[in-house]
Amino acid sequence: MSLGVSIRSWVGSTLFGISYVVSTVVAGVVAPPIALCFPGIHRQKVLNVHNAILLFAFRIFCGVKVNVQGRENLVKGRSYVIVANHQSEWETYFLQVLVTPLSTVLKKELLSVPFFGWGLRMVQPIAIDRSQKSNALKQILKQGKERLLGGRSVLIFPEGTRVKAGEEKSFNKGAAMLATSAGKPILPIVHNAGEIWPGKKWLKQPGTINVIIGESIEVEGKKTGDMHEEMEVWMRENMAKVTTK
């Protein structure tokens, strides 16, 4: 890394960090009362203002471009089981803006985070206890089906946790099980956000985040194993395509 890039990263990360804290506190106080004035399925549009501001600040301060391929595969008004690789915080904000309304499978501890958790509760997440794997799966299948049949998409990170860019982790079958149970398609998405905004690291890097939205994997005539295999093959192949380091 050159000296110029290093200084750019430090300055940009500092400015973004300040905007992140300020906007999250303000949004955590202001957005939930406003969102309460709207029907449940429309509240995310209000809360997404904060997500959009963060994504904009990240691009401007940190010198990041976002290249998205396959937007035509996301059909408005259709509910999906969204699956994406998990490398960063970036995709948790981006996917909320990309797909609305969306319920995310996440660890329940996030609901207790001041300001951030207050708004998060209002978008009907599926908050699980990861230490109770059997109960967590039952909860995902039950609540996920309810969300899907109610007109929301459900986001699952099949790796179960953040994985460093360039590394691989096995995919669990929860997404395929939910898709076959609810009769809804899987929409696979991959990206390389971890190269720009590494998980659990403060310093961000300038560069390009590549995103590929795949064609929906339809459930008709398929078993859980078929759905899972098709999803995994597509994601492995396309994760290699977006990786630049």
Side-chain angles (χ1 to χ4, degrees):
M1 182 186 298
S2 67
L3 178 60
V5 173
S6 178
I7 294 174
R8 175 74 173 82
S9 297
W10 279 96
V11 173
S13 297
T14 300
L15 292 174
F16 174 68
I18 293 170
S19 66
Y20 182 100
V21 172
V22 172
S23 64
T24 299
V25 171
V26 172
V29 173
V30 175
I34 296 176
L36 283 173
C37 299
F38 293 81
I41 203 166
H42 296 295
R43 290 174 182 170
Q44 188 173 344
K45 295 179 181 178
V46 177
L47 299 167
N48 269 347
V49 173
H50 172 239
N51 295 330
I53 289 172
L54 282 180
L55 292 169
F56 176 77
F58 179 59
R59 292 199 306 271
I60 297 301
F61 291 138
C62 298
V64 177
K65 295 180 180 179
V66 179
N67 175 38
V68 181
Q69 300 177 43
R71 286 186 183 272
E72 67 278 5
N73 293 324
L74 181 58
V75 180
K76 187 176 181 180
R78 196 177 190 198
S79 298
Y80 299 94
V81 178
I82 307 286
V83 294
N85 58 316
H86 196 16
Q87 296 182 349
S88 169
E89 284 185 50
W90 179 84
E91 62 268 18
T92 64
Y93 298 111
F94 174 78
L95 293 172
Q96 297 291 329
V97 174
L98 180 70
V99 184
T100 303
L102 181 69
S103 293
T104 304
V105 176
L106 45 77
K107 55 185 180 182
K108 67 177 184 179
E109 292 85 357
L110 291 176
L111 300 182
S112 301
V113 177
F115 305 107
F116 174 79
W118 301 346
L120 191 59
R121 289 177 180 272
M122 302 189 71
V123 293
Q124 299 183 30
I126 302 173
I128 62 172
D129 182 349
R130 293 193 298 186
S131 66
Q132 303 291 328
K133 292 185 178 181
S134 177
N135 290 336
L137 180 57
K138 292 177 182 178
Q139 182 183 350
I140 290 170
L141 295 178
K142 179 179 183 296
Q143 294 184 3
K145 188 174 183 178
E146 291 172 353
R147 304 288 198 273
L148 288 163
L149 297 181
R152 305 178 71 91
S153 290
V154 173
L155 170 61
I156 296 179
F157 296 112
E159 295 156 309
T161 188
R162 277 196 293 255
V163 179
K164 289 183 180 179
E167 295 185 0
E168 291 188 358
K169 189 177 185 297
S170 61
F171 293 151
N172 63 56
K173 293 185 177 181
M177 293 174 69
L178 176 58
T180 51
S181 174
K184 296 290 184 177
I186 290 176
L187 188 72
I189 299 175
V190 295
H191 59 86
N192 65 323
E195 297 177 2
I196 308 297
W197 183 341
K200 299 181 180 179
K201 290 188 178 181
W202 175 77
L203 189 65
K204 283 74 176 173
Q205 306 295 337
T208 300
I209 295 177
N210 297 309
V211 181
I212 300 177
I213 304 170
E215 295 183 4
S216 59
I217 300 172
E218 302 298 330
V219 71
E220 286 78 15
K222 297 176 185 175
K223 297 180 180 179
T224 296
D226 301 325
M227 295 288 286
H228 179 76
E229 182 179 3
E230 191 171 343
M231 175 198 81
E232 182 167 19
V233 169
W234 186 92
M235 292 191 72
R236 295 293 186 202
E237 290 179 350
N238 286 277
M239 284 167 66
K241 292 179 182 178
V242 297
T243 300
T244 63
K245 296 181 179 179

